[in-house]
C-alpha cells in the first residue's frame, strides 16, 4: 500500500503546514504542488502527512493520487 510508505527528505523535524494549499485539478499542477510540499519538509513524511498540506477533504482517492505522484517524482529523481 502506498499510503503507509515513508518518503525520505532532509533530516530535520517536520513542521505543521502554516497554510493549506489548494489541491489542483490538473495532473501537472498536482505534481508541482506535491514537489513543493516535499521541498518544504525537513524529514521523512508519510503520504497522509503530505496530504495534510492540502485544503479540502483528504479522501482515499486523493491519498492514492498523492502516493502515485510521489512514486513518479521519485522515479524521475525529483522526490
Amino acid at each position: 500500500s502506498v499510503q503507509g510508505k515513508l518518503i525520505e527528505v532532509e533530516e530535520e523535524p517536520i513542521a505543521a503546514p502554516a497554510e493549506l494549499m489548494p489541491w489542483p485539478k490538473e495532473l501537472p499542477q498536482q505534481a508541482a504542488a506535491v514537489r513543493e510540499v516535499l521541498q518544504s519538509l525537513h524529514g521523512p513524511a508519510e503520504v497522509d502527512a503530505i496530504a495534510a498540506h492540502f485544503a479540502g477533504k483528504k479522501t482515499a482517492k486523493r491519498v492514492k493520487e498523492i502516493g502515485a505522484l510521489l512514486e513518479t517524482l521519485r522515479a524521475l529523481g525529483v522526490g
Side-chain angles (χ1 to χ4, degrees), residues 18-40:
E19 189 174 320
L20 296 179
M21 299 170 58
W23 181 243
K25 293 183 182 193
E26 301 296 323
L27 185 60
Q29 289 79 18
Q30 290 172 356
V34 169
R35 190 178 107 218
E36 184 177 334
V37 170
L38 283 174
Q39 291 173 338
S40 74

Side-chain angles (χ1 to χ4, degrees), residues 26-79:
E26 301 296 323
L27 185 60
Q29 289 79 18
Q30 290 172 356
V34 169
R35 190 178 107 218
E36 184 177 334
V37 170
L38 283 174
Q39 291 173 338
S40 74
L41 299 176
H42 301 289
E46 293 187 14
V47 175
D48 283 338
I50 294 168
H53 284 75
F54 297 100
K57 195 171 181 180
K58 187 178 78 175
T59 62
K61 178 184 174 193
R62 181 177 294 177
V63 171
K64 184 176 177 179
E65 289 171 344
I66 291 171
L69 287 166
L70 289 170
E71 289 181 15
T72 299
L73 291 170
R74 185 180 317 129
L76 294 171
V78 178

Side-chain angles (χ1 to χ4, degrees), residues 5-17:
K5 288 187 180 179
L6 290 178
I7 304 303
E8 293 295 328
V9 292
E10 296 177 23
E11 292 190 25
E12 290 180 21
I14 297 173

